[in-house]
Amino acid sequence: MKLKQTRIKVEQSWLSLLAPALLWLLAFVIPVMLGRELLKNALDVEKQLLTSSAKQLLISEARKYRTSLNPDFFFQNQIDKEKLADLYEKFLRAEKTEERSSKSDQREKIVQQLKNHWLAAKLPWGSENVKNDLEPILNAFKAVRGIYPAAVYSLGPDSHSRFVIVDKALPLLLPEKEFDIVLSRAYNFWLERFNQGPGRSRFFRRFNTTPELREWLGYFLNPDTDIFGQRIRFSNKANDNLFRFSFTFQDAKKNYVNINFVFIRRYLDWKFVLKKVLSENNRGNIRHSFGYSRASTLPFFTTDDDELSFIFEVPIEFRKIYKLDEDGNKSVIRLSLPLDSYQRDFFSPAKIDFLIKLLILASLMLIIGIYSGRFSNLRKLRFVVGLSFFIGCLVPITGLAWFGLSYVRSHQHFEVKRMFDLMENRIDLVEKKMTLQKERNSVYFHILAHQISKIPAEMRHLIHSLLEEPEAKYNSDYSERIYSRPFFGYYFLNSDGTEHLFARQNFLAVISQMSPFFTGSFNEIMLAMNGYSHLEHKKRQDIVQKAQIAGGITEKAVDKRMFVEMFELEGAKIHSKLSPRKEFFTSFILNHDEKRPGGLISFFTDTDHWLKRIGKSFDLGLFPVNFIAGSYRVYLTFYPLDYINVRDLHQLRVSEDIIGNEKQNRLYKIARALFATSDRSKINNLAQKPANLVLAKVIADQDVFALAYAERKTDSFFDSRIVLVIAGLLIAFLSSLALAAGTSRVLLMSLPAFHTAIDEVQNNSFLWQMKVRSGDEFEELAASFNLMGRRLLEKEKMSQLVSENVLEVVASSDSEMLKPGGKKVEAVILFSDIRSFTTLSEKYQAETIVEMLNSYFTEMAEVISQNGGIIDKLIGDAIQAVFYRSSDLLPPEYRAAKAALTMQDRLIAFNKKRKQKGLFTVENGVGIASGTVISGRVGTETGKLDATVLGKVLHKAENLEALSRHAKFSQILIDDPTREILEKTAKRVSLQEFVAENVKSGEIYELIRLI
């Protein structure tokens, strides 16, 4: 019997034929092209914003460069100073703890942390001869700084740990044996300071008992007694800044040793510095390079191929080594940032064009598919129509929404710029107030000098009663009277040769050492100006001799041009070169109207003095440091710069009711971090929580580090403009979805009923009835679906009476399969059996065994079906499955092997569940054989029929299953033909040759893994 095929043909009018193309053009192409223009306009706005942000980023990076190339910062930045200082501070405090039991453990823990630090670990810990074991630490300094120390001196208890190594620039002033005595005294002094711990006496702050150290290094003041630290001092002996690094460690005898490494600034290898800074900063998206530029104006920006570059000239120190090249070009550093790498959004104009072309091409393929009948399936047709409408609506609305987001971001950008301008303006106002205070001090000094000039010369020895205040008035740290006069000391030289030096108690030690400098220099100036011409000859000779003696003492210790400059720029603030503190002299010549000067006076001031006056104005609320501007709360704070320890800050006191302790501590940490990298920073942290802006800059003639911190009062996500745009985008999406779904539903209103019917059929449910009253072809189609459902229901009922293999034969298009007998076909047989089933049947009740078999067969049957197999028979506890060859499926050998491995995995999970319930577990084996089988109908013409498979392959698979109990790994055995197909088909297959009695080599293999 041969089945009859019927062709179904649909006739359409020319208008219906053009409908898909017209719909594609009007509902898809035109909206998508409109969306393309909107997206490109949004990208233009984004690019402008990104370029502006990139410029700020490059300017900030350039400022970091200038700071990093500063030799003072370079020296400190290479040794991880803050971490080491913290460890040594803990070490010193642990050494002085009162509890002996915890002291040793805590100290050893900190010592171990020091030994793990990359630099401190190079110190000669536990060395028996410190001098001979210095190579690691010296090489470490060479690696990070490019130079070796110019001098090394170590303070220890014996000759193995006490020594000095000198360079020709710092020769010893004493023989080495005599200098060893100096080092021994210095060690005892340092050890006393170490034993005092953090609360040391001021007397032990410097090596007061060993001035030979100061003279050798050429310091004006004695070196500090640091346990650990870095000091920068000017040396008149080296005629340059000295960088001294001090470390403490223990030698082999557990004695504490203090070693100091001294570097000379001019010995720096500037090429090494530039190369190292470039390598450390050349990370991330910003590319750094060094070269030459012929540009006459620097710095400047340049854009090339969507790459923004900032070019600026190297610092002056590097211009000395990188001079103009042969063409006259300047040495510069170039910072380059690809704009597309800095862009936060995924799209670019090229990507948008590509995406639009891809969408149009894909949609065109859909139209071609509709015309060619590829989407005759109702669900596919509905999906295609809906998707086309959805994309056609979504693309332009997305472009509009993105344009809105770009507008919001541009508004935020200008708002951020406005806030930075506001913060900078407020800082500038404070700076003007500081400048005004400086000028006020200057006016004060001029008035004071004028008033002193009016005092008769013979009475001027009493001016100390006018300028000095009783010591009792300095008891209160924050007394208003402390700041009533803008100076902490003065030096006065009268026309009769008398002099007077005064300083507040905390400055007395410093100023008293300056006395010879003033005596010698001021007397020389008075003599040069004929200020003593009215005195007797003997008196003038005494003054000359006094000036010569003082000048001889200080001749090599100070540059006397500073004193000349003090009177050439009379009334100006002159920076002191006599000490590392940031002190200033303001000097005046008395009695300008006379032919000869009536005396000289110089007032001593420092940065901290007038800054505290500014801090007082903050305390009184004369200037707001905490205020609201728009949606931001702004905090201002200012820090005086400490030049004793370069690159550090000392906090300016601000009243707690203006800025709370928690906020103030946070701002101080931010200020320290920013000051360590740049003298000017603009940071946009709106993407963080809390959202904030930070502006920092050095102001007031490098005396103050100002920090402005602006924090948003509300989270940026809840910004009204962001909410509106997100709401608009959500509405656009939902509207596009509703329009697409509604349009497709109107066009294909009846299709959901057919979709539901098809789903029911796929779920093997046939108890349904369609009711479509559309009055068109869909109603007739519904009647046909109802008839199909009844036929399928009848087939489902029949399937309960015959085997699945019979149904496959019945469903086959080959009428020969329905004849008695059958035909030979290529197939793969999978045979699986439960181990020791007879024993289990005798041990457990029948209900338990049947329940187990039902669950087991359900698991295994699902696996076989999923891999395209058919269960031919269930023989007791065994499964006999067949895998036929099919053109639209993988080879049956592969599917059978995959099914076998999956069956084993399912069995593991099956046993795990049963074990959790307290039930017995089972094991099985699998045999797989490939070959020719007879597939067809077995039975009589009038009796019961059964479609099955026959042949030797079935017995072979059964025998393989029986042998699988002797397998070592997976309990799955396959024959050699199956192996050959697997090795050709699978990406990777893992096999083990099966060896047993009466089994020839190469005939049977155990399947282990298959991919």
Side-chain angles (χ1 to χ4, degrees):
M1 182 179 67
K2 188 174 182 179
L3 298 179
K4 182 180 179 180
Q5 290 186 339
T6 303
R7 291 184 178 274
I8 301 175
K9 188 176 181 181
V10 179
E11 296 290 342
Q12 290 181 306
S13 66
W14 67 270
L15 186 60
S16 62
L17 288 173
L18 292 178
L22 291 174
L23 186 65
W24 170 71
L25 181 64
L26 296 175
F28 187 87
V29 176
I30 294 178
V32 166
M33 295 304 293
L34 177 62
R36 170 181 174 272
E37 294 303 317
L38 289 172
L39 289 172
K40 283 197 169 184
N41 288 334
L43 275 178
D44 290 338
V45 176
E46 289 282 322
K47 187 171 183 179
Q48 293 176 10
L49 296 178
L50 292 173
T51 301
S52 178
S53 300
K55 285 184 177 180
Q56 293 296 329
L57 180 64
L58 292 179
I59 290 174
S60 177
E61 191 75 9
R63 291 195 181 107
K64 291 180 182 179
Y65 252 108
R66 294 189 181 98
T67 302
S68 300
L69 291 174
N70 180 286
D72 295 346
F73 176 76
F74 178 80
F75 262 101
Q76 287 208 147
N77 190 45
Q78 300 300 318
I79 67 165
D80 198 9
K81 177 187 173 184
E82 289 193 7
K83 184 176 181 180
L84 281 173
D86 182 61
L87 289 175
Y88 271 104
E89 179 70 15
K90 292 178 181 178
F91 172 73
L92 188 60
R93 293 185 181 277
E95 182 66 24
K96 307 308 166 192
T97 184
E98 295 180 359
E99 301 179 7
R100 291 188 177 182
S101 60
S102 63
K103 177 178 70 173
S104 177
D105 294 340
Q106 188 176 3
R107 183 178 65 247
E108 288 301 322
K109 181 178 179 181
I110 299 170
V111 167
Q112 189 59 43
Q113 291 177 345
L114 283 169
K115 290 181 178 179
N116 291 335
H117 188 274
W118 68 269
L119 181 60
K122 304 293 192 300
L123 292 168
W125 296 88
S127 172
E128 295 182 354
N129 193 321
V130 174
K131 186 175 182 180
N132 292 339
D133 296 332
L134 285 181
E135 186 175 354
I137 186 69
L138 294 178
N139 290 336
F141 277 123
K142 173 68 174 178
V144 297
R145 294 205 174 93
I147 58 173
Y148 289 108
V152 180
Y153 65 94
S154 177
L155 306 179
D158 52 43
S159 59
H160 297 296
S161 58
R162 187 176 63 249
F163 59 86
V164 61
I165 304 173
V166 297
D167 184 81
K168 60 181 180 180
L170 290 173
L172 292 177
L173 303 179
L174 297 172
E176 191 168 340
K177 290 185 178 180
E178 295 182 21
F179 196 78
D180 182 70
I181 299 174
V182 174
L183 294 179
S184 178
R185 293 203 317 269
Y187 174 72
N188 294 330
F189 188 84
W190 176 87
L191 192 62
E192 179 64 27
R193 177 257 183 273
F194 177 80
N195 292 330
Q196 289 182 1
R200 66 186 184 277
S201 168
R202 289 183 62 86
F203 176 74
F204 288 96
R205 180 177 178 181
R206 295 189 179 91
F207 286 101
N208 296 315
T209 61
T210 51
E212 295 88 349
L213 276 179
R214 170 175 57 82
E215 294 172 1
W216 168 52
L217 295 174
Y219 286 170
F220 176 72
L221 299 177
N222 289 316
D224 297 87
T225 56
D226 294 320
I227 305 302
F228 164 80
Q230 172 179 283
R231 300 286 175 173
I232 302 177
R233 295 278 187 87
F234 179 81
S235 168
N236 58 69
K237 189 173 180 181
N239 197 27
D240 201 349
N241 281 345
L242 297 186
F243 297 85
R244 184 177 62 87
F245 298 92
S246 180
F247 296 91
T248 297
F249 62 96
Q250 291 177 313
D251 62 9
K253 298 179 181 179
K254 297 295 182 180
N255 293 319
Y256 290 111
V257 179
N258 179 252
I259 190 167
N260 296 263
F261 303 91
V262 182
F263 297 83
I264 300 177
R265 185 180 188 272
R266 68 171 178 271
Y267 284 3
L268 266 177
D269 184 348
W270 299 108
K271 291 185 179 180
F272 174 86
V273 173
L274 182 59
K275 182 178 179 181
K276 189 169 183 64
V277 172
L278 280 173
S279 64
E280 290 177 350
N281 286 275
N282 202 3
R283 301 169 184 170
N285 293 329
I286 300 179
R287 295 194 293 269
H288 308 72
S289 58
F290 173 82
Y292 292 89
S293 173
R294 65 181 61 186
S296 58
T297 304
L298 291 170
F300 68 91
F301 285 98
T302 179
T303 304
D304 182 25
D305 296 332
D306 290 332
E307 183 178 74
L308 182 67
S309 298
F310 183 60
I311 300 174
F312 58 96
E313 197 168 1
V314 298
I316 189 170
E317 290 85 358
F318 298 92
R319 296 177 208 168
K320 297 176 183 178
I321 56 174
Y322 294 103
K323 299 179 181 179
L324 298 179
D325 65 2
E326 57 185 14
D327 296 328
N329 297 328
K330 300 177 182 177
S331 53
V332 296
I333 293 176
R334 179 191 183 104
L335 305 180
S336 301
L337 177 64
L339 293 179
D340 57 346
S341 67
Y342 186 63
Q343 187 170 328
R344 291 174 296 175
D345 300 296
F346 172 77
F347 294 110
S348 64
K351 291 178 181 178
I352 289 177
D353 283 337
F354 174 76
L355 181 62
I356 296 300
K357 292 177 182 178
L358 187 64
L359 286 175
I360 293 178
L361 180 61
S363 65
L364 184 60
M365 296 300 293
L366 292 177
I367 296 298
I368 296 174
I370 292 174
Y371 278 116
S372 62
R374 292 288 183 181
F375 300 103
S376 57
N377 182 283
L378 298 179
R379 285 179 294 177
K380 289 183 179 180
L381 183 60
R382 183 184 175 193
F383 172 76
V384 168
V385 174
L387 181 63
S388 299
F389 274 99
F390 176 71
I391 295 176
C393 297
L394 185 62
V395 171
I397 296 178
T398 301
L400 186 61
W402 192 0
F403 194 81
L405 283 172
S406 300
Y407 167 76
V408 171
R409 279 200 283 264
S410 65
H411 190 279
Q412 288 179 338
H413 174 79
F414 289 115
E415 182 184 41
V416 168
K417 186 177 183 303
R418 182 180 63 83
M419 282 304 304
F420 276 130
D421 291 342
L422 174 64
M423 292 189 291
E424 191 158 13
N425 181 57
R426 290 302 179 99
I427 289 176
D428 291 342
L429 288 176
V430 177
E431 184 177 19
K432 290 178 181 179
K433 185 180 285 288
M434 293 177 179
T435 303
L436 181 61
Q437 181 63 39
K438 289 182 178 182
E439 297 300 328
R440 184 181 299 168
N441 291 348
S442 178
V443 172
Y444 176 88
F445 290 138
H446 280 82
I447 295 175
L448 185 60
H450 179 70
Q451 293 297 327
I452 294 175
S453 296
K454 292 182 177 181
I455 300 176
E458 61 274 11
M459 299 294 293
R460 288 178 186 161
H461 64 281
L462 299 175
I463 64 171
H464 65 277
S465 61
L466 299 175
L467 301 180
E468 301 171 25
E469 296 188 44
E471 184 64 27
K473 294 185 179 181
Y474 298 108
N475 291 336
S476 175
D477 288 342
Y478 298 102
S479 170
E480 173 66 20
R481 300 185 68 86
I482 288 183
Y483 311 119
S484 60
R485 289 187 173 90
F487 60 88
F488 62 82
Y490 66 89
Y491 175 83
F492 168 66
L493 178 63
N494 200 14
S495 58
D496 60 1
T498 59
E499 60 181 347
H500 186 71
L501 178 67
F502 164 77
R504 287 212 311 265
Q505 186 176 10
N506 53 335
F507 288 96
L508 186 59
V510 176
I511 298 301
S512 61
Q513 296 185 52
M514 296 183 183
S515 179
F517 299 99
F518 288 102
T519 298
S521 299
F522 274 50
N523 274 292
E524 288 180 1
I525 293 173
M526 280 289 287
L527 289 169
M529 298 174 65
N530 294 321
Y532 297 135
S533 60
H534 64 291
L535 298 179
E536 296 180 358
H537 178 74
K538 185 177 183 309
K539 181 67 172 177
R540 288 200 307 272
Q541 289 298 321
D542 292 341
I543 293 174
V544 170
Q545 185 177 9
K546 180 180 178 182
Q548 289 176 345
I549 293 174
I553 295 174
T554 62
E555 183 177 2
K556 295 183 179 181
V558 68
D559 186 355
K560 294 187 178 181
R561 288 178 296 181
M562 179 190 71
F563 294 96
V564 176
E565 187 180 75
M566 288 165 55
F567 292 100
E568 287 180 347
L569 304 174
E570 183 181 4
K573 189 172 67 173
I574 306 300
H575 179 236
S576 171
K577 299 179 182 178
L578 299 179
S579 74
R581 303 188 65 90
K582 195 161 187 182
E583 299 155 349
F584 301 93
F585 300 140
T586 304
S587 305
F588 295 91
I589 302 173
L590 304 179
N591 293 18
H592 278 285
D593 54 342
E594 296 185 4
K595 295 181 180 180
R596 55 181 175 80
L600 304 176
I601 190 168
S602 183
F603 299 98
F604 313 146
T605 60
D606 67 346
T607 301
D608 196 41
H609 205 76
W610 62 268
L611 278 177
K612 288 179 179 177
R613 169 68 74 173
I614 301 298
K616 186 65 177 179
S617 67
F618 289 164
D619 291 345
L620 297 176
L622 301 179
F623 189 87
V625 293
N626 182 348
F627 57 90
I628 294 176
S631 59
Y632 292 86
R633 178 174 291 278
V634 183
Y635 301 89
L636 300 180
T637 186
F638 303 86
Y639 306 91
L641 302 184
D642 177 12
Y643 276 79
I644 297 178
N645 294 301
V646 180
R647 313 311 300 176
D648 203 353
L649 297 173
H650 279 280
Q651 190 173 358
L652 176 65
R653 185 182 67 89
V654 181
S655 178
E656 292 182 4
D657 59 352
I658 296 178
I659 298 179
N661 284 330
E662 181 178 354
K663 182 66 66 177
Q664 181 70 358
N665 291 337
R666 181 180 177 187
L667 294 183
Y668 185 52
K669 292 178 181 178
I670 294 174
R672 285 179 62 92
L674 293 180
F675 184 75
T677 57
S678 178
D679 58 356
R680 183 181 178 89
S681 301
K682 279 186 180 180
I683 301 177
N684 184 339
N685 289 326
L686 293 183
Q688 297 182 359
K689 290 186 178 180
N692 60 82
L693 305 173
V694 181
L695 172 65
K697 57 187 296 191
V698 176
I699 61 173
D701 296 331
Q702 309 297 310
D703 290 337
V704 178
F705 188 66
L707 178 72
Y709 177 87
E711 186 173 288
R712 289 185 69 97
K713 293 185 294 184
T714 56
D715 195 306
S716 60
F717 178 81
F718 295 102
D719 186 279
S720 59
R721 293 179 296 274
I722 294 291
V723 171
L724 288 175
V725 172
I726 293 177
L729 186 60
L730 181 61
I731 292 172
F733 178 80
L734 294 177
S735 299
S736 302
L737 191 61
L739 181 60
T743 304
S744 62
R745 186 172 294 275
V746 170
L747 294 176
L748 307 171
M749 184 178 298
S750 302
L751 289 185
F754 292 96
H755 184 273
T756 303
I758 293 173
D759 286 342
E760 292 291 330
V761 172
Q762 288 179 341
N763 293 326
N764 295 322
S765 175
F766 310 108
L767 294 174
W768 46 266
Q769 185 75 17
M770 292 181 62
K771 293 183 179 181
V772 178
R773 297 178 180 177
S774 60
D776 55 12
E777 291 81 358
F778 283 115
E779 187 171 346
E780 297 177 5
L781 182 62
S784 300
F785 260 73
N786 290 332
L787 179 60
M788 179 190 69
R790 288 194 299 271
R791 296 285 176 82
L792 292 174
L793 180 61
E794 293 173 359
K795 182 179 178 181
E796 177 70 15
K797 295 294 184 181
M798 184 180 67
S799 66
Q800 299 177 8
L801 303 177
V802 297
S803 68
E804 184 179 354
N805 204 16
V806 172
L807 294 179
E808 292 294 329
V809 172
V810 172
S812 173
S813 61
D814 190 354
S815 59
E816 295 296 324
M817 295 295 290
L818 299 177
K819 295 180 180 181
K823 70 173 185 177
K824 294 182 179 182
V825 295
E826 293 295 325
V828 177
I829 303 300
L830 182 149
F831 197 90
S832 175
D833 191 13
I834 297 177
R835 303 277 188 233
S836 305
F837 182 74
T838 302
T839 303
L840 293 175
S841 301
E842 295 173 352
K843 184 176 181 181
Y844 297 100
Q845 295 181 357
E847 294 82 356
T848 305
I849 294 297
V850 171
E851 186 275 331
M852 181 274 294
L853 282 176
N854 288 336
S855 301
Y856 172 79
F857 285 144
T858 300
E859 292 283 343
M860 301 300 115
E862 182 180 353
V863 173
I864 293 171
S865 177
Q866 287 175 351
N867 288 275
I870 299 172
I871 295 180
D872 181 55
K873 289 184 178 62
L874 295 177
I875 310 170
D877 62 319
I879 299 174
Q880 179 177 301
V882 58
F883 292 81
Y884 291 111
R885 196 171 303 279
S886 176
S887 60
D888 57 347
L889 295 176
L890 294 171
E893 292 85 356
Y894 181 89
R895 289 185 279 119
K898 193 70 176 179
L901 290 171
T902 308
M903 288 170 66
Q904 295 295 66
D905 293 338
R906 287 286 187 94
L907 182 62
I908 293 173
F910 176 76
N911 284 331
K912 184 177 181 181
K913 292 180 181 179
R914 291 183 61 81
K915 192 173 183 180
Q916 291 175 349
K917 296 179 181 179
L919 302 175
F920 65 89
T921 59
V922 296
E923 295 182 1
N924 69 358
V926 179
I928 300 175
S930 304
T932 304
V933 299
I934 299 174
S935 177
R937 189 181 66 172
V938 178
T940 66
E941 292 287 346
T942 58
K944 180 182 177 182
L945 300 176
D946 187 14
T948 185
V949 292
L950 302 171
K952 294 181 179 181
V953 179
L954 277 73
H955 300 293
K956 188 176 184 181
E958 187 176 356
N959 291 334
L960 289 174
E961 184 279 326
L963 290 173
S964 67
R965 67 177 64 252
H966 303 296
K968 298 180 180 179
F969 301 103
S970 65
Q971 306 294 312
I972 302 172
L973 296 182
I974 64 174
D975 61 357
D976 189 57
T978 304
R979 175 194 63 80
E980 291 181 359
I981 300 299
L982 289 180
E983 290 180 345
K984 295 178 181 179
T985 306
K987 292 182 179 179
R988 183 181 300 172
V989 59
S990 179
L991 300 171
Q992 177 69 37
E993 185 177 349
F994 181 77
V995 179
E997 294 183 6
N998 300 325
V999 176
K1000 293 182 179 181
S1001 174
E1003 287 188 348
I1004 303 176
Y1005 296 86
E1006 183 175 2
L1007 176 65
I1008 300 174
R1009 187 180 180 190
L1010 179 69
I1011 297 177

Short mmCIF file of all heavy atoms in Angstrom, two decimals, residues 844-853 914 919-920:
data_model
loop_
_atom_site.label_atom_id
_atom_site.label_comp_id
_atom_site.label_asym_id
_atom_site.label_seq_id
_atom_site.Cartn_x
_atom_site.Cartn_y
_atom_site.Cartn_z
N TYR A 844 13.84 -8.31 48.83
CA TYR A 844 12.87 -7.26 49.11
C TYR A 844 11.50 -7.67 48.59
O TYR A 844 11.37 -8.54 47.71
CB TYR A 844 13.31 -5.95 48.45
CG TYR A 844 14.62 -5.42 48.99
CD1 TYR A 844 15.81 -5.63 48.28
CD2 TYR A 844 14.67 -4.73 50.20
CE1 TYR A 844 17.02 -5.16 48.77
CE2 TYR A 844 15.88 -4.27 50.69
CZ TYR A 844 17.05 -4.47 49.97
OH TYR A 844 18.24 -4.00 50.45
N GLN A 845 10.48 -7.02 49.13
CA GLN A 845 9.11 -7.32 48.75
C GLN A 845 8.85 -6.92 47.30
O GLN A 845 9.51 -6.05 46.75
CB GLN A 845 8.13 -6.58 49.67
CG GLN A 845 8.21 -7.04 51.13
CD GLN A 845 7.21 -6.29 52.00
OE1 GLN A 845 6.50 -5.40 51.54
NE2 GLN A 845 7.15 -6.66 53.28
N ALA A 846 7.82 -7.55 46.71
CA ALA A 846 7.51 -7.32 45.30
C ALA A 846 7.12 -5.88 45.04
O ALA A 846 7.50 -5.28 44.02
CB ALA A 846 6.37 -8.27 44.87
N GLU A 847 6.36 -5.24 45.98
CA GLU A 847 5.94 -3.85 45.78
C GLU A 847 7.15 -2.93 45.70
O GLU A 847 7.19 -1.98 44.89
CB GLU A 847 5.00 -3.41 46.90
CG GLU A 847 3.66 -4.12 46.94
CD GLU A 847 3.74 -5.47 47.65
OE1 GLU A 847 4.87 -5.87 48.04
OE2 GLU A 847 2.70 -6.14 47.80
N THR A 848 8.13 -3.23 46.56
CA THR A 848 9.34 -2.39 46.58
C THR A 848 10.13 -2.55 45.29
O THR A 848 10.64 -1.57 44.72
CB THR A 848 10.23 -2.78 47.77
OG1 THR A 848 9.47 -2.69 48.97
CG2 THR A 848 11.45 -1.86 47.86
N ILE A 849 10.21 -3.79 44.78
CA ILE A 849 10.95 -4.05 43.55
C ILE A 849 10.25 -3.37 42.37
O ILE A 849 10.90 -2.72 41.52
CB ILE A 849 11.08 -5.57 43.30
CG1 ILE A 849 11.95 -6.21 44.39
CG2 ILE A 849 11.69 -5.83 41.92
CD1 ILE A 849 13.37 -5.72 44.43
N VAL A 850 8.92 -3.46 42.32
CA VAL A 850 8.19 -2.86 41.20
C VAL A 850 8.31 -1.34 41.23
O VAL A 850 8.49 -0.69 40.18
CB VAL A 850 6.70 -3.29 41.25
CG1 VAL A 850 5.88 -2.50 40.24
CG2 VAL A 850 6.57 -4.79 40.98
N GLU A 851 8.23 -0.78 42.42
CA GLU A 851 8.36 0.69 42.54
C GLU A 851 9.74 1.15 42.07
O GLU A 851 9.88 2.15 41.37
CB GLU A 851 8.12 1.10 43.99
CG GLU A 851 8.09 2.60 44.24
CD GLU A 851 9.47 3.20 44.44
OE1 GLU A 851 10.37 2.46 44.93
OE2 GLU A 851 9.67 4.39 44.08
N MET A 852 10.77 0.36 42.45
CA MET A 852 12.13 0.70 42.03
C MET A 852 12.27 0.61 40.51
O MET A 852 12.84 1.50 39.85
CB MET A 852 13.13 -0.24 42.70
CG MET A 852 14.60 0.04 42.34
SD MET A 852 15.14 -0.79 40.80
CE MET A 852 15.05 -2.50 41.30
N LEU A 853 11.69 -0.47 39.90
CA LEU A 853 11.80 -0.65 38.45
C LEU A 853 11.09 0.47 37.70
O LEU A 853 11.58 0.98 36.69
CB LEU A 853 11.22 -2.01 38.04
CG LEU A 853 12.10 -3.24 38.31
CD1 LEU A 853 11.36 -4.51 37.95
CD2 LEU A 853 13.41 -3.15 37.52
N ARG A 914 17.78 7.62 46.48
CA ARG A 914 17.29 6.45 47.23
C ARG A 914 18.04 6.27 48.53
O ARG A 914 17.45 5.90 49.55
CB ARG A 914 17.43 5.19 46.35
CG ARG A 914 16.49 5.17 45.15
CD ARG A 914 16.65 3.87 44.37
NE ARG A 914 16.33 2.69 45.15
CZ ARG A 914 15.10 2.22 45.37
NH1 ARG A 914 14.05 2.86 44.86
NH2 ARG A 914 14.90 1.13 46.10
N LEU A 919 16.65 3.76 51.13
CA LEU A 919 16.33 2.64 50.25
C LEU A 919 17.60 2.02 49.68
O LEU A 919 18.65 2.65 49.67
CB LEU A 919 15.42 3.12 49.12
CG LEU A 919 14.09 3.77 49.53
CD1 LEU A 919 13.37 4.30 48.32
CD2 LEU A 919 13.22 2.77 50.29
N PHE A 920 17.47 0.78 49.18
CA PHE A 920 18.63 0.10 48.60
C PHE A 920 18.98 0.71 47.24
O PHE A 920 18.12 1.30 46.57
CB PHE A 920 18.38 -1.40 48.47
CG PHE A 920 17.27 -1.75 47.49
CD1 PHE A 920 17.53 -1.97 46.15
CD2 PHE A 920 15.95 -1.86 47.95
CE1 PHE A 920 16.51 -2.29 45.27
CE2 PHE A 920 14.94 -2.20 47.07
CZ PHE A 920 15.21 -2.40 45.71
#
